[in-house]
Amino acid sequence: MASPTSTNPAHAHFESVLQAQLCQDVLSSFQGLCRALGLEPGGGLPQYHKIKAQLNYWSAKSLWAKLDKRASQPVYQQGRACTSTKCLVVGAGPCGLRAAVELAMLGARVVLVEKRTKFSRHNVLHLWPFTIHDLRALGAKKFYGRFCTGSLDHISIRQLQLLLLKVALLLGVEIHWGVTFTGLQPPPRKGSGWRAQLQPSPPAQLANYEFDVLISAAGGKFVPEGFTVREMRGKLAIGITANFVNGRTVEETQVPEISGVARIYNQSFFQSLLKATGIDLENIVYYKDDTHYFVMTAKKQCLLRLGVLRQDWPETDRLLGSANVAPEALQRFARAAADFATHGKLGKLEFAQDAHGRPDVSAFDFTSMMRAESSARVQEKHGARLLLGLVGDCLVEPFWPLGTGVARGFLAAFDAAWMVKRWAEGAGPLEVLAERESLYQLLSQTSPENMHRNVAQYGLDPASRYPNLNLRAVTPSQVRDLYDVEAKEPVRRMSDKTDSGKPATGSVATQEELLHWCQEQTAGYPGVHVTDLSSSWADGLALCALVHRLRPGLLKPSELQGVGALEATSWALKMAEHELGITPVLSAHAMVAGNDPLGLIAYLSHFHSAFKSTPHNPGPVSQGSPGTANAVLFLGKLQRTLQRTRAQGNGEDAGGKKPRMEVEAETPSTEEPPVPEPDVPVTPPSQYQEASAEDLCALCGEHLYILERLCANGRFFHRSCFRCHICEATLWPSGYGQHPGDGHFYCLQHLPQPGHKEDSSNRGPESQDLPTHSENNMPPRPSIPAAPQEGTSPVPSQPTRRLIRLSSPERQRLSSLRLTPDPEMEPPPKPPRSCSVLAHRALEGSFVGWGMPVQNPQVLVAVEKEEEDSPCSSDEEAEEDVPLDSDTEQVLWNLAKNSGTMNSYPTWRRTLLRRAKEEEMKRFCKAQAIQRRQNEIEAALRELEAKGTELELALRSRSSSPEEQKALWLEQLLQLVQKKNSLVAEEAELMITVQELNLEEKQWQLDQELRTYMNREETLKTAADQQAEDQVLRKLVDVVNQRDALIRFQEERRLSELAPGPGPQG
């Protein structure tokens, strides 16, 4: 076909617009197009229709068809929904441009101002499925042919801005460059409208432009006057981005992308990185786009050690300021990390250039994230109303590891455009604001999994995107403060306000209520008379009675006769920690001595908050009672099991069977008997429990206040002191170990491993045995000074593990086993295409013997031919992949990766590789969300500790404060204790999820390793190969058992939550 430029000069300008890769080239080409067609840029939808009428050749028609299909949706009313509305959009970022496009399609007049004059951000954005479909519907493939053609779905910010800019220009958006918005100019008199204050001096037409809608998309550093901003702070987090030149060589194209690797579940990768390069990271991501884009989270101590940061400053701005960052060291750091992550396959890494011509590498702080308290406001003066809306980073600053920025930014742009439509329809200001705030409540909860699955139906109407939508969740009366007649209030920046986590259940007990509850729970026990919250607990009987009330099967009251106060109290403290998940706040000696009444009150309040809903009836309390700290209890057992396993692996004497009362297991067990815990005292408490031991930190020796106390291995620490001895990372529950040689605490990555047998060393520091269902982790009961028990049988020796031999089908099922249940039942999927059916047929006879596939070329050719011939396989009209069931997809993925079968079927292989990368991305995002929440919890606990210290000092001081004031201080202290317990429980829940991720990663790695042996000919395997295969299989069985223990725990908790209510059980 002849080139269109030979018949119409405007065609050449149009093709230049499509192909332009620089902002200035787009603008000059579009101006040339408008001159050739006799049009003025920025003419709104009429301009679009005129361009379309004059450019009717094949290349342009394909783009018009897409834009017309979008504009034909009923919500736009054929471009007449907002014809009388004038809008000003501030910021030409992706979200500002996307909002401008929607407003233009509604028929509004749209003017956009941008302070920059070019697009230069190479950083890459992760795309959700709906954003891909949305951009394709706007002609993304027409503007950028490589859109979403890799194994991961992403696009650079620059490319996204370019394609949205081209669409906005075609739809008639008026754009002004190099113009900075500095504020609003209210109408001076009745009959006039709102204008913008702009710098430098804008053209008269722009300076006199009056508008009734302002959409701010100027980034997190600029929020229009009147909006309140909340700061969400976490632990110090330093990110590093680096963009390297992509030469698009064959070698570069073959390097796989990294959807995300996180230390939280793959410690071995980061340990290898640290040993090889000295670089200590929390995570790393690699995307291949216009550049080779790497983003990672680095540890401050590592940056200081390697000279990237010159000095350690407490202020983050000063720490990461340009004067404190060494550019050459930062470049070496980023280059070394990228080279290691890609195994050096990218060759010589050359930095791309940023907007200032410097190497595109930077360090940034994402410790705190800003979030606007409201998404919209209305201001009115002299009868002129102005609707203000926020989109993009000035609404919610994204947490980059989650990849939610552009997706939620687009959703906010759609919601803002819907608000403008309702405004143009004449809805009242309060009604418009209430609807917008109802949508804003949903934004932070959105994910690809909880939105409507059919992305093709997404549109401007919120009901097309959000399931279970309630536009009346916020009422008009709740948004009256967002309607200002005179806008004179400055921006209120609520810093140092941290999300304190899940709200504590119920009200906080006063001292009198706590005493009354303790009296109820201990009533009827012989020798127990609770009259106060100090001396009544000195003999240990009251605490033993309280523990027995909550766990009657642990001890008979008659067995306490003759037991010393110190021993009884020590036993009760250990039992409460091991069987109720309530960690000590004070030592047994302090409780007996009665010298820490505040600590005792704080400790007993934990019992009250956990079990206060338990009615006072005889009988045991269910372990799954709603108030029980199940997650804390589970992690405590896990930590003790881990210590016991290390003691055995290190060849230490476990201490043997120590005298204890006969304890019957609650359920019969056929599993191996547990090994006794070497660290559980059966005699009076050891030296670390001497008087006032809980008042001093066991590491730093400084004073410990009640809210600061963290108990581990029977000793008390500051949370800020309880860190890894090597990397100084915070030690999380079940994520640390104490070295028996030096006594220091370490994270699992840095825990020293003494030289011992290979079978033990192969477990690695991160290998953990989860407690099994029947494992008895109870500490010994206090020894009775009476006649020795008769008939006590010794602990049977632990049987030697026999070698596991499984058949080939059993190995196959084991390696592909998926234990994690779906969080909720999904609706039945649409009938699949024949691709899924044929895939099932291809699998029926695929594996024989040790997993050698029997090739079925006829079936695979049919599948491949269908995929190629399907209209869905075209670049521009590609539909969403039809989901296969999990078992089929897992087997197909393993087959594709570990055999040569799929090399001849690139479409199928590409689909499977893409899905595997998506699963890795989900796991990475989940891990980063957990890590962020952990950091927020740590920051919240620091705030609680500071407040608690002030209250404790006031209560302990010998001042002449009235009793009413002291009672108020005590109530506030108990409230802080309850908040801390709530946060610690949430922290434990997060760590259980971390265990799930860790085990998933281990199972995947062992599965891949096992298949490398399974896919070999039996006759070619050596004795060493067979031994290695059996060893991998044993490890895989261990991981499956551990995952099973986690699932059993979660199922028990789920059933307890479904119970009609607490009450006597058993």
Side-chain angles (χ1 to χ4, degrees):
M1 182 176 180
S3 172
T5 57
S6 60
T7 58
N8 190 338
H11 292 175
H13 292 292
F14 181 75
E15 292 297 326
S16 297
V17 172
L18 297 182
Q19 303 302 324
Q21 291 298 301
L22 295 175
C23 180
Q24 292 299 328
D25 292 344
V26 173
L27 297 176
S28 61
S29 298
F30 184 75
Q31 290 172 354
L33 174 65
C34 290
R35 285 194 300 269
L37 299 178
L39 301 174
E40 283 292 330
L45 277 184
Q47 170 200 285
Y48 165 72
H49 292 299
K50 293 176 181 178
I51 294 177
K52 184 178 68 171
Q54 297 186 55
L55 294 179
N56 56 3
Y57 71 102
W58 64 272
S59 182
K61 281 184 177 179
S62 62
L63 178 60
W64 307 145
K66 289 183 175 297
L67 298 178
D68 287 345
K69 183 179 180 181
R70 174 80 183 191
S72 64
Q73 294 180 9
V75 70
Y76 298 110
Q77 300 176 16
Q78 297 182 352
R80 294 192 293 269
C82 299
T83 51
S84 60
T85 303
K86 296 180 179 180
C87 305
L88 177 67
V89 178
V90 180
C95 298
L97 286 168
R98 190 64 191 86
V101 168
E102 286 301 307
L103 294 172
M105 285 191 170
L106 286 168
R109 183 187 175 189
V110 185
V111 175
L112 185 148
V113 294
E114 167 59 47
K115 64 181 180 180
R116 297 183 179 90
T117 57
K118 59 182 178 180
F119 297 150
S120 58
R121 289 185 288 175
H122 293 115
N123 291 358
V124 180
L125 302 172
H126 173 65
L127 299 178
W128 288 6
F130 93 86
T131 54
I132 298 171
H133 188 277
D134 177 69
L135 292 171
R136 279 177 172 159
L138 294 178
K141 294 288 288 185
K142 199 74 178 175
F143 302 116
Y144 182 50
R146 287 191 293 269
F147 179 71
C148 287
T149 55
S151 59
L152 293 171
D153 296 323
H154 51 68
I155 189 172
S156 70
I157 298 176
R158 192 181 70 86
Q159 285 292 349
L160 181 56
Q161 287 177 287
L162 283 173
L163 71 88
L164 289 174
L165 171 64
K166 296 171 184 178
V167 175
L169 289 172
L170 290 172
L171 292 178
V173 175
E174 181 181 334
I175 301 179
H176 296 269
W177 301 94
V179 177
T180 301
F181 176 85
T182 58
L184 287 169
Q185 182 178 332
R189 57 187 177 279
K190 192 174 182 63
S192 58
W194 292 82
R195 299 180 183 180
Q197 296 177 358
L198 306 169
Q199 292 181 352
S201 299
Q205 180 182 1
L206 179 59
N208 297 327
Y209 177 62
E210 296 183 350
F211 48 89
D212 48 14
V213 174
L214 172 67
I215 301 297
S216 176
K221 294 183 179 181
F222 177 81
V223 179
E225 191 174 342
F227 284 89
T228 302
V229 177
R230 181 178 295 276
E231 181 182 18
M232 304 294 294
R233 293 196 64 85
K235 189 176 65 172
L236 177 65
I238 301 175
I240 293 177
T241 60
N243 285 278
F244 300 98
V245 174
N246 186 354
R248 306 192 186 279
T249 63
V250 175
E251 292 77 11
E252 288 175 291
T253 58
Q254 294 176 349
V255 178
E257 297 178 288
I258 301 174
S259 56
V261 183
R263 176 194 295 274
I264 204 169
Y265 62 82
N266 191 350
Q267 296 182 2
S268 59
F269 172 85
F270 295 96
Q271 193 169 17
S272 301
L273 172 64
L274 180 61
K275 290 180 179 178
T277 65
I279 293 175
D280 205 1
L281 299 179
E282 292 287 349
N283 53 50
I284 188 169
V285 174
Y286 162 50
Y287 289 156
K288 191 186 311 178
D289 210 274
D290 282 352
T291 60
H292 296 293
Y293 171 69
F294 291 85
V295 58
M296 61 203 81
T297 303
K299 294 188 176 182
K300 182 182 73 171
Q301 295 301 325
C302 171
L303 295 175
L304 289 167
R305 174 168 44 83
L306 296 179
V308 177
L309 300 178
R310 294 188 171 97
Q311 284 184 277
D312 188 5
W313 299 104
E315 303 87 3
T316 307
D317 292 341
R318 193 173 183 184
L319 179 69
L320 297 179
S322 57
N324 197 47
V325 176
E328 297 80 8
L330 178 60
Q331 294 171 28
R332 289 194 299 269
F333 184 98
R335 185 181 284 112
D339 192 63
F340 180 88
T342 56
H343 307 286
K345 295 181 179 179
L346 289 178
K348 184 179 179 181
L349 291 170
E350 179 184 350
F351 284 99
Q353 301 298 306
D354 63 11
H356 305 287
R358 298 190 295 258
D360 195 352
V361 56
S362 63
F364 64 97
D365 167 45
F366 61 101
T367 302
S368 63
M369 296 183 297
M370 300 298 179
R371 175 185 175 89
E373 288 287 280
S374 61
S375 59
R377 300 184 68 85
V378 173
Q379 297 182 4
E380 181 176 349
K381 188 172 184 180
H382 296 309
R385 290 175 177 172
L386 175 66
L387 176 64
L388 299 94
L390 306 180
V391 298
D393 288 1
C394 64
L395 180 63
V396 179
E397 280 189 327
F399 182 50
W400 73 260
L402 300 185
T404 59
V406 68
R408 291 178 179 169
F410 275 25
L411 291 174
F414 296 156
D415 296 339
W418 174 261
M419 172 185 69
V420 175
K421 179 178 182 296
R422 297 281 292 126
W423 179 264
E425 290 172 347
L430 293 179
E431 182 181 355
V432 171
L433 292 173
E435 281 192 9
R436 179 68 189 95
E437 294 309 306
S438 298
L439 291 173
Y440 184 39
Q441 288 185 347
L442 299 176
L443 186 63
S444 61
Q445 307 169 20
T446 55
S447 68
E449 288 73 31
N450 61 19
M451 297 181 65
H452 281 310
R453 296 302 179 92
N454 185 8
V455 297
Q457 73 176 10
Y458 282 23
L460 202 59
D461 189 342
S464 66
R465 294 174 272 123
Y466 305 114
N468 306 318
L469 176 65
N470 180 14
L471 289 175
R472 293 181 174 84
V474 177
T475 62
S477 61
Q478 293 176 296
V479 295
R480 292 186 182 277
D481 60 323
L482 303 181
Y483 186 14
D484 297 333
V485 177
E486 295 287 343
K488 294 183 178 179
E489 297 182 4
V491 175
R492 297 182 298 275
R493 191 169 294 270
M494 300 173 63
S495 60
D496 300 326
K497 296 292 184 180
T498 311
D499 184 8
S500 60
K502 301 177 182 177
T505 56
S507 59
V508 180
T510 62
Q511 186 173 358
E512 291 74 17
E513 291 172 346
L514 180 60
L515 175 60
H516 180 67
W517 181 82
C518 291
Q519 290 172 337
E520 283 187 344
Q521 300 300 315
T522 57
Y525 285 89
V528 178
H529 304 285
V530 176
T531 59
D532 54 31
L533 296 175
S534 56
S535 60
S536 297
W537 304 83
D539 58 3
L541 297 180
L543 186 59
C544 288
L546 183 59
V547 172
H548 178 268
R549 165 68 188 91
L550 302 173
R551 288 290 182 275
L554 302 180
L555 182 70
K556 294 180 180 179
S558 60
E559 295 176 338
L560 291 173
Q561 296 178 1
V563 177
L566 199 58
E567 188 175 4
T569 303
S570 177
W571 176 86
L573 287 171
K574 284 288 183 181
M575 187 60 65
E577 181 181 9
H578 289 194
E579 295 302 318
L580 299 177
I582 297 179
T583 56
V585 178
L586 72 171
S587 67
H589 197 290
M591 185 174 287
V592 172
N595 56 11
D596 190 5
L598 284 180
L600 178 60
I601 292 173
Y603 182 59
L604 293 176
S605 70
H606 196 173
F607 283 90
H608 177 265
S609 62
F611 297 100
K612 62 185 175 184
S613 58
T614 303
H616 179 52
N617 292 321
V621 178
S622 167
Q623 182 168 347
S625 298
T628 307
N630 280 325
V632 176
L633 176 62
F634 182 84
L635 288 178
K637 291 185 176 183
L638 173 58
Q639 181 66 31
R640 293 189 294 276
T641 305
L642 191 60
Q643 292 173 343
R644 199 163 54 243
T645 303
R646 287 200 195 96
Q648 290 177 311
N650 295 339
E652 296 176 356
D653 182 12
K657 179 73 173 181
K658 298 184 179 180
R660 62 167 66 191
M661 302 176 186
E662 290 291 335
V663 180
E664 294 181 0
E666 295 180 3
T667 57
S669 173
T670 59
E671 300 183 13
E672 301 171 359
V675 179
E677 299 182 25
D679 59 331
V680 177
V682 295
T683 55
S686 57
Q687 59 182 355
Y688 61 76
Q689 288 182 325
E690 57 190 25
S692 301
E694 68 278 6
D695 289 339
L696 300 177
C697 176
L699 289 175
C700 71
E702 297 295 328
H703 187 79
L704 267 176
Y705 294 94
I706 292 174
L707 266 294
E708 295 177 330
R709 295 175 188 173
L710 183 149
C711 184
N713 290 11
R715 293 186 288 173
F716 294 92
F717 309 90
H718 291 105
R719 284 183 63 94
S720 57
C721 294
F722 195 60
R723 296 177 178 273
C724 175
H725 183 63
I726 293 180
C727 67
E728 298 185 0
T730 301
L731 298 179
W732 308 106
S734 81
Y736 67 89
Q738 185 178 16
H739 191 263
D742 56 22
H744 294 301
F745 291 92
Y746 299 87
C747 66
L748 295 182
Q749 179 180 353
H750 297 115
L751 181 63
Q753 296 295 304
H756 50 275
K757 293 178 293 185
E758 180 183 357
D759 185 58
S760 299
S761 62
N762 284 339
R763 297 176 64 85
E766 72 280 359
S767 180
Q768 301 179 10
D769 291 326
L770 298 184
T772 56
H773 180 62
S774 60
E775 182 179 28
N776 184 1
N777 287 286
M778 296 186 298
R781 299 178 177 187
S783 57
I784 304 298
Q789 300 288 336
E790 297 181 359
T792 303
S793 58
V795 178
S797 59
Q798 185 173 0
T800 304
R801 291 187 177 181
R802 61 183 179 85
L803 190 62
I804 300 175
R805 295 289 185 183
L806 299 180
S807 63
S808 297
E810 288 173 331
R811 291 172 183 258
Q812 180 63 46
R813 287 195 295 272
L814 176 63
S815 64
S816 300
L817 188 61
R818 294 169 67 94
L819 287 172
T820 306
D822 293 330
E824 58 182 358
M825 296 297 294
E826 295 291 342
K830 295 188 296 183
R833 296 183 296 197
S834 56
C835 171
S836 178
V837 177
L838 291 174
H840 278 284
R841 293 176 184 172
L843 286 173
E844 289 178 356
S846 294
F847 297 94
V848 177
W850 287 93
M852 291 299 295
V854 176
Q855 311 298 339
N856 195 341
Q858 292 81 11
V859 175
L860 295 178
V861 168
V863 173
E864 184 72 13
K865 186 174 187 304
E866 179 184 352
E867 289 291 324
E868 292 176 352
D869 294 343
S870 170
C872 300
S873 63
S874 68
D875 287 338
E876 297 189 22
E877 301 293 336
E879 297 179 358
E880 297 302 314
D881 294 328
V882 177
L884 303 174
D885 66 79
S886 58
D887 292 334
T888 303
E889 185 171 336
Q890 179 70 19
V891 176
L892 278 174
W893 160 240
N894 289 323
L895 177 63
K897 184 158 186 172
N898 295 303
S899 72
T901 309
M902 308 304 297
N903 292 335
S904 302
Y905 310 99
T907 304
W908 199 356
R909 180 181 178 86
R910 186 168 61 247
T911 300
L912 293 172
L913 290 174
R914 176 183 288 268
R915 292 186 182 178
K917 290 289 186 181
E918 290 172 354
E919 290 302 315
E920 292 177 6
M921 171 69 75
K922 290 179 182 178
R923 185 161 63 246
F924 175 75
C925 291
K926 190 174 184 180
Q928 295 311 299
I930 291 171
Q931 190 166 13
R932 176 66 190 185
R933 183 56 191 154
Q934 285 178 330
N935 293 339
E936 291 176 351
I937 288 175
E938 187 173 352
L941 287 172
R942 284 199 300 267
E943 293 180 5
L944 292 179
E945 290 172 0
K947 295 176 182 177
T949 299
E950 294 179 5
L951 289 172
E952 187 176 348
L953 286 172
L955 285 167
R956 292 185 185 274
S957 63
R958 299 179 181 274
S959 62
S960 57
S961 301
E963 291 300 321
E964 294 80 5
Q965 180 62 55
K966 291 183 179 180
L968 177 60
W969 286 341
L970 180 59
E971 184 176 349
Q972 293 174 348
L973 181 66
L974 292 178
Q975 186 176 17
L976 295 180
V977 169
Q978 188 168 348
K979 288 181 179 180
K980 175 187 175 181
N981 294 336
S982 177
L983 287 172
V984 170
E986 183 185 357
E987 184 180 58
E989 297 278 359
L990 294 175
M991 288 309 302
I992 289 179
T993 308
V994 170
Q995 295 293 338
E996 293 182 54
L997 295 173
N998 195 14
L999 291 175
E1000 286 177 13
E1001 180 72 15
K1002 286 181 183 178
Q1003 183 173 340
W1004 184 85
Q1005 292 177 354
L1006 291 171
D1007 174 61
Q1008 302 306 310
E1009 189 176 354
L1010 179 61
R1011 287 182 177 277
T1012 60
Y1013 293 107
M1014 292 172 58
N1015 288 332
R1016 297 179 187 175
E1017 291 280 0
E1018 280 296 310
T1019 56
L1020 300 179
K1021 291 182 182 179
T1022 64
D1025 291 338
Q1026 186 65 53
Q1027 183 180 4
E1029 182 179 352
D1030 291 337
Q1031 188 177 18
V1032 171
L1033 185 59
R1034 285 197 301 271
K1035 291 181 180 180
L1036 187 57
V1037 171
D1038 288 342
V1039 170
V1040 170
N1041 287 336
Q1042 292 173 40
R1043 293 189 68 184
D1044 182 61
L1046 269 181
I1047 291 169
R1048 190 160 52 238
F1049 163 76
Q1050 292 171 332
E1051 180 64 16
E1052 290 174 355
R1053 183 172 55 183
R1054 186 185 68 84
L1055 293 176
S1056 69
E1057 291 172 352
L1058 294 176
Q1065 298 186 23

